[in-house]
Amino acid sequence: MTIRVTQSMMNSQMIRNITTNMTRMNKLQEQNSTGMKINRPSDDPVGITFALRYRSEIDANEQYKKNVNATLSVLEYSDTTLGQAGDILQRVRELIIKGGNGALEQTSLDAIKVEIQQNYNQMIDIANTQFNGKYLFNGELTETRPYAKTELTDAIDLGASPPVLKAYHNKTDSGKINYELSAGLTLDLGVSGNDVFGAPLDPAATPEEMAGSDNIFALLQRAYDMLDSGDSEGVADLLDQFDTRMNTILTKRAEVGARVNRVEIIADRLLDIEGNLQVSQANVEDADIAEVLMKLKMEENIYQASLSVGARIIQPSLVDFLR
Amino acid sequence: MASTFHGIETARRSLFAAQSSLNTTGHNIANTNTAGYSRQVVNLVATNPITAPGFSRHHTAGQLGTGVEAVSITRVRESFLDSQYRNENKALGQFQVRQDTLSKLEGVVNEPSQTGLRSVIAKFWNSWSDLSKDTENIDGRKVVLEQTLAMVDALNYSARQLNDLKDDLSESIEIRLKSAQSLMGTIAQLNGEIRRIEGLGDHANDLRDQRDLVTDQLSQLINVRVEEQAGGYTIFMGTRQLVAGEVATPPADVASLMEAYDAGDLNSGQLHGTIYSRDQYVESYLGELNNIATTMAFGEFEITLPKGTVLPEGTELDGVVYTGSNRILDQETVVTVKGLNGLHQLGYSLGDPSDGLPFFVFQKENGDLVTDDSAGLQGLGALNFRLNPAIAENANLIATSMRVSGAGTTGEEVINGNNSLAVLFSQMRDTRFDFDSGPDQNRNTVDAYFRSIVGQLGVQSAEATRLLNNQVIITNQVEARRQSVSGVSLDEEMANLIKFQHAYNAAARNMTVMDDTIDRIINRMGRVGL
């Protein structure tokens, strides 16, 4: 402790102390106005590394949520489309049962034939479905139409350029488009057309090979041809192959449904993670406003007290008391 | 035998002494708030008494006092406290500059925020993830393009700010050196003046105060050691003599100052702090930013290429050259790729089967674009980091696909629906890059690396602030002790004023008494009966 105290010592000490008080108040004021207890790295060097990590993870999570939504819409659209294909098959099945009856006259068979033809065209439209301008059933060749829009009555012409082919000759792409759904996790969305509608036939396939195929377009072609020639027995025999194809399409649809479930689970998990991250981030970064206000009030009191005491101490000197 | 007028002489001396004391008190009061002023006192000494040695010693008492004399006026000061103060003051100067620089660096880093580097890098990865969902179209590419430009701009801007900070610090070194030079000149000049005045036997109190004040100021700029010698203050910085007598030999320019810095002679004070801040702190953060830029472009990392990938003809990965039919990967393959540049060149841009361009380039001062690290990383950094201008002009050149149809034939066509490369790019956010090509491999995600930089800055800045606060307290304590010794206390001066006034009044009364006694002798004696 110094023994001899001068006016200037008291003065500078008071200024110093008031400045210190002000600095503390300023800090609290900053926390109060930004609502954050970390406003620069030096406020909490360890805390800020956590804060930055949480921020980055929240950013990434936000992106994964967007990706999950996009995945869900593609999958749901695929599901709807496969549903429509199922509906058409159901109708075709009825027609085939009707046509295989054997008791119908050719005019009736012709009527069925026409309807088969319409369903064939409709099925091609479904196989060529686009989502956001991209073909759904052609793997990664999203810009190429997978199935030829030729009529059942059109003849195959391999010599033409480009060759005229039927839908059952078309080979779809097996590439798989992956979406990134969370760190290190990608999920493929694609449903290959050949898996759904049946394996393609070689353009030079023999009638036997054609008869062995359960490609839906080939089946429709054969049904059409048989109805055209009045072969209702042959039509009835197609029923088994139709049923296998229908089952396959149902299985594919179930697979898509399962994938939707999986994505929904991922979505739930992303939401959970988001909640956890936000809580963690708030714990590290956010100021406890009530506490800050309390402290601010205390600092205010200290500040005012130091001002009033200072005012009393630095004012008088012996000068005031000498006559 | 004392003279008749002895008493008058004694009273005169008393009056003069009291007057000097009063005047000095007045000087003290006048300089209450003068920086560097130390209070002065008049040293009073009783004058030699009259003695009458000898055999015929008179019958009066010897050793008759002859009054008072003001022998000297000196300042009250402890030189030990001065050297202590200068020691603390140099450290204070050093920490002030360091703390100031680090807090400016915190401003450049600008975290936590929604606009800092971390945020633009996160947006960059996100834009690739968005693009991976729609690789056939231009819109996603435009977003990647814009986010890349934003990220590159942020790195450029931060690097520019750091370079500006470096320039500012260099300039401030020059300014501070000039001011140190002029302070040393002043000290040398004061040395001369003080020597001349004190040669006449006086104390050059006010000039000494001035010299101490200037030395204090110098001690904030550099580390000084002061020795008081016959010629005045001799000042050393480390082993270098800066002032001796009337000759000042300050470092002539920044180059010779840097020599002293390198040799360890300059080891504290604001100048040391400024050089240290520039060459250690700013330089190291600039290095870290450069490392982020070069590592994103060229840093090695491992990735798994998906099955079905068709690599561009002639691609070389891990020493394997992919050509002809082995370009098509029939299984997932783990390879080491050199940076995002290397990765981008594994893919194909929209509709163009020639392989992808280098994604980033570094623009040399002469305008040359560097696209690989074959010539080393010298001169490549955050400042000249750019998105490849060809890509910046045409977003379709952003590669997303890793598959072509008809591989090996002349009519190769890119399968635009393949999004493998875009997904890989997006997954780079979690990929550990090799941030240090040395043998001690330091693999980290870009985000984690940036976090560690911010954390390190936080620690350094918090530490510097703590040291500065401590140093302020210590320096203030020493200064308070110095003030306690040398400072002017108005109460004390007022009390002294009264004391000396009384002494003066009493001396005057004494004079009157003497006057009366002599009056009695001269005018009244020998007039018996009159």
Side-chain angles (χ1 to χ4, degrees):
Chain A
M1 184 60 211
T2 45
I3 296 163
R4 188 172 171 275
V5 176
T6 69
Q7 267 81 12
S8 76
M9 282 164 73
M10 293 207 307
N11 238 332
S12 54
Q13 184 160 0
M14 196 191 87
I15 292 170
R16 224 162 33 235
N17 289 340
I18 287 177
T19 314
T20 317
N21 289 345
M22 289 278 264
T23 314
R24 279 205 303 267
M25 286 217 299
N26 183 40
K27 193 111 215 160
L28 290 169
Q29 183 61 44
E30 185 185 33
Q31 289 189 3
N32 195 18
S33 56
T34 60
M36 298 193 347
K37 62 183 170 198
I38 303 180
N39 288 295
R40 61 188 62 74
S42 55
D43 286 345
D44 181 356
V46 178
I48 190 154
T49 58
F50 282 100
L52 291 183
R53 186 157 69 87
Y54 296 141
R55 279 167 178 249
S56 292
E57 283 180 11
I58 288 171
D59 282 349
N61 211 57
E62 206 58 41
Q63 181 65 36
Y64 295 143
K65 272 166 58 192
K66 274 163 78 182
N67 293 0
V68 159
N69 285 338
T71 313
L72 278 179
S73 34
V74 176
L75 287 177
E76 274 158 12
Y77 197 79
S78 307
D79 182 65
T80 317
T81 314
L82 290 179
Q84 287 168 355
D87 291 348
I88 292 173
L89 280 191
Q90 199 60 48
R91 176 66 190 146
V92 169
R93 191 172 185 275
E94 283 164 19
L95 291 175
I96 283 177
I97 293 173
K98 222 189 263 178
N101 188 328
L104 293 180
E105 293 179 14
Q106 188 58 39
T107 44
S108 310
L109 291 181
D110 282 347
I112 295 173
K113 183 184 81 179
V114 172
E115 201 176 339
I116 292 267
Q117 185 174 14
Q118 277 165 4
N119 281 318
Y120 175 86
N121 289 341
Q122 220 176 333
M123 192 59 109
I124 286 181
D125 284 345
I126 285 175
N128 287 337
T129 298
Q130 282 178 300
F131 181 70
N132 279 349
K134 296 188 264 189
Y135 290 101
L136 210 50
F137 294 111
N138 203 14
E140 290 174 350
L141 298 173
T142 51
E143 295 163 311
T144 316
R145 195 177 60 214
Y147 287 100
K149 288 191 86 166
T150 40
E151 295 284 332
L152 278 173
T153 47
D154 289 346
I156 302 170
D157 182 359
L158 293 176
S161 173
V164 178
L165 290 174
K166 293 295 191 68
Y168 45 86
H169 295 133
N170 290 126
K171 188 174 182 318
T172 58
D173 185 49
S174 56
K176 295 192 188 305
I177 295 177
N178 287 295
Y179 277 16
E180 190 193 14
L181 297 187
S182 56
L185 174 77
T186 55
L187 186 83
D188 71 271
L189 314 167
V191 183
S192 167
N194 288 158
D195 287 351
V196 177
F197 304 104
L201 284 162
D202 194 79
T206 59
E208 286 76 27
E209 280 170 341
M210 180 108 172
S213 165
D214 67 348
N215 183 308
I216 184 66
F217 301 108
L219 287 174
L220 287 170
Q221 177 81 58
R222 281 165 61 211
Y224 179 87
D225 292 346
M226 287 170 179
L227 289 168
D228 193 38
S229 59
D231 177 9
S232 38
E233 224 173 283
V235 173
D237 288 345
L238 289 175
L239 206 56
D240 282 349
Q241 280 172 305
F242 259 107
D243 286 348
T244 0
R245 181 45 48 195
M246 259 180 91
N247 280 337
T248 316
I249 292 182
L250 278 180
T251 319
K252 282 288 154 198
R253 200 178 164 193
E255 273 176 27
V256 171
R259 246 182 291 177
V260 170
N261 281 344
R262 189 169 160 214
V263 175
E264 274 169 353
I265 291 171
I266 293 172
D268 285 347
R269 204 181 61 215
L270 289 177
L271 277 179
D272 285 349
I273 293 174
E274 185 184 28
N276 290 342
L277 285 173
Q278 276 167 352
V279 170
S280 306
Q281 189 201 8
N283 281 342
V284 175
E285 278 188 20
D286 291 1
D288 180 342
I289 295 295
E291 194 190 328
V292 172
L293 283 176
M294 282 270 293
K295 283 188 183 164
L296 199 60
K297 200 71 212 159
M298 268 163 60
E299 290 295 341
E300 247 172 48
N301 289 340
I302 294 173
Y303 179 62
Q304 281 177 358
S306 61
L307 282 183
S308 77
V309 169
R312 276 193 226 168
I313 285 183
I314 61 170
Q315 233 174 14
S317 78
L318 194 52
V319 184
D320 300 304
F321 300 97
L322 293 173
R323 60 185 160 75
Chain B
M1 168 105 196
S3 131
T4 313
F5 299 104
H6 177 93
I8 287 185
E9 175 60 17
T10 308
R12 184 193 65 79
R13 289 180 180 181
S14 176
L15 277 176
F16 280 15
Q19 212 163 18
S20 307
S21 297
L22 279 171
N23 283 337
T24 304
T25 306
H27 185 53
N28 283 343
I29 293 172
N31 285 295
T32 309
N33 293 323
T34 306
Y37 181 78
S38 28
R39 67 189 164 111
Q40 297 176 5
V41 289
V42 179
N43 298 311
L44 299 179
V45 172
T47 46
N48 288 335
I50 294 175
T51 55
F55 294 107
S56 54
R57 206 180 140 166
H58 204 267
H59 291 289
T60 51
Q63 297 292 309
L64 178 65
T66 56
V68 70
E69 188 191 10
V71 282
S72 63
I73 300 174
T74 51
R75 51 186 200 147
V76 182
R77 196 161 178 120
E78 263 182 53
S79 61
F80 166 68
L81 289 176
D82 282 341
S83 70
Q84 212 178 8
Y85 177 80
R86 285 166 198 150
N87 254 336
E88 301 305 340
N89 201 27
K90 69 179 181 194
L92 177 68
Q94 148 133 314
F95 292 138
Q96 269 171 349
V97 178
R98 286 201 197 181
Q99 196 273 340
D100 183 57
T101 311
L102 285 167
S103 83
K104 280 182 185 144
L105 280 173
E106 284 186 304
V108 174
V109 165
N110 186 23
E111 293 290 353
S113 75
Q114 292 298 342
T115 50
L117 198 51
R118 184 209 62 76
S119 179
V120 289
I121 292 177
K123 283 183 184 143
F124 172 69
W125 304 132
N126 280 354
S127 68
W128 277 99
S129 193
D130 273 333
L131 174 58
S132 79
K133 289 178 291 184
D134 190 18
T135 50
E136 297 88 342
N137 292 312
I138 182 84
D139 6 347
R141 283 163 211 274
K142 287 272 189 207
V143 177
V144 169
L145 181 82
E146 292 308 323
Q147 292 299 353
T148 312
L149 288 175
M151 181 180 75
V152 167
D153 282 349
L155 273 165
N156 294 162
Y157 182 64
S158 297
R160 239 190 335 269
Q161 276 183 309
L162 288 182
N163 275 328
D164 289 350
L165 187 55
K166 253 171 75 178
D167 291 346
D168 287 352
L169 289 171
S170 295
E171 200 174 316
S172 124
I173 290 170
E174 276 180 40
I175 292 168
R176 287 190 166 125
L177 176 62
K178 282 213 178 84
S179 128
Q181 285 166 338
S182 107
L183 289 174
M184 288 175 217
T186 313
I187 292 174
Q189 198 186 340
L190 284 167
N191 272 345
E193 285 178 34
I194 291 169
R195 195 172 60 83
R196 278 189 286 282
I197 289 169
E198 297 195 341
L200 300 173
D202 290 331
H203 291 275
N205 295 320
D206 295 318
L207 289 176
R208 275 176 173 270
D209 279 348
Q210 237 181 70
R211 186 173 63 181
D212 280 328
L213 180 66
V214 173
T215 313
D216 286 352
Q217 287 168 352
L218 184 62
S219 78
Q220 187 155 40
L221 292 172
I222 56 172
N223 50 303
V224 289
R225 187 162 51 82
V226 181
E227 282 177 16
E228 177 144 28
Q229 293 174 346
Y233 277 2
T234 307
I235 293 188
F236 296 92
M237 177 178 76
T239 58
R240 273 161 216 248
Q241 181 175 294
L242 300 179
V243 179
E246 293 180 49
V247 183
T249 47
D253 49 20
V254 176
S256 67
L257 187 74
M258 287 304 293
E259 258 173 52
Y261 173 84
D262 292 334
D265 284 329
L266 173 64
N267 54 38
S268 197
Q270 285 182 343
L271 266 168
H272 180 269
T274 317
I275 299 176
Y276 187 88
S277 298
R278 184 189 63 178
D279 295 354
Q280 299 294 317
Y281 295 142
V282 181
E283 199 58 59
S284 112
Y285 285 101
L286 197 54
E288 304 282 22
L289 281 188
N290 289 345
N291 202 3
I292 289 182
T294 52
T295 303
M296 281 186 96
F298 310 131
E300 286 187 351
F301 52 80
E302 267 186 2
I303 51 161
T304 309
L305 298 177
K307 180 183 165 188
T309 296
V310 183
L311 291 168
E313 173 71 30
T315 305
E316 187 179 345
L317 290 169
D318 296 331
V320 180
V321 178
Y322 293 87
T323 177
S325 62
N326 76 354
R327 283 172 58 196
I328 305 171
L329 304 180
D330 53 5
Q331 58 189 14
E332 286 192 348
T333 314
V334 178
V335 291
T336 302
V337 175
K338 279 179 74 68
L340 297 184
N341 270 10
L343 183 62
H344 197 249
Q345 291 178 75
L346 295 183
Y348 308 94
S349 51
L350 189 65
D352 183 0
S354 54
D355 50 335
L357 298 166
F359 197 67
F360 296 114
V361 297
F362 292 88
Q363 189 166 26
K364 290 257 186 185
E365 269 172 26
N366 58 13
D368 287 355
L369 300 179
V370 181
T371 56
D372 57 53
D373 60 348
S374 54
L377 299 176
Q378 188 63 37
L380 313 183
L383 191 62
N384 54 8
F385 190 49
R386 303 274 185 277
L387 170 64
N388 192 332
I391 296 177
E393 266 171 34
N394 180 4
N396 283 341
L397 292 178
I398 293 175
T400 52
S401 169
M402 298 185 85
R403 202 176 144 210
V404 287
S405 61
T409 64
T410 43
E412 276 186 11
E413 270 188 45
V414 179
I415 296 179
N416 293 326
N418 179 298
N419 67 350
S420 302
L421 191 65
V423 171
L424 285 176
F425 256 94
S426 147
Q427 287 174 334
M428 284 297 119
R429 82 164 84 232
D430 296 314
T431 303
R432 290 170 179 273
F433 286 71
D434 183 4
F435 273 90
D436 176 7
S437 45
D440 179 22
Q441 290 208 323
N442 168 16
R443 292 201 175 211
N444 240 325
T445 64
V446 176
D447 202 50
Y449 188 78
F450 180 67
R451 270 205 306 274
S452 74
I453 297 173
V454 177
Q456 188 194 349
L457 175 60
V459 171
Q460 284 179 337
S461 177
E463 175 77 1
T465 310
R466 195 182 59 76
L467 285 174
L468 176 63
N469 286 340
N470 282 350
Q471 201 55 42
V472 167
I473 291 170
I474 295 173
T475 315
N476 282 336
Q477 264 170 9
V478 177
E479 172 63 11
R481 287 179 60 193
R482 226 162 53 147
Q483 281 296 316
S484 169
V485 173
S486 305
V488 176
S489 159
L490 284 178
D491 291 347
E492 189 182 78
E493 298 305 327
M494 292 315 289
N496 283 344
L497 205 60
I498 304 294
K499 185 170 86 177
F500 296 135
Q501 190 184 8
H502 282 313
Y504 187 88
N505 289 350
R509 175 55 57 95
N510 184 222
M511 180 78 91
T512 317
V513 169
M514 287 306 158
D515 184 34
D516 275 1
T517 53
I518 292 169
D519 179 50
R520 175 74 60 184
I521 294 169
I522 295 173
N523 296 328
R524 304 277 178 89
M525 271 168 73
R527 300 188 59 182
V528 180
L530 268 176

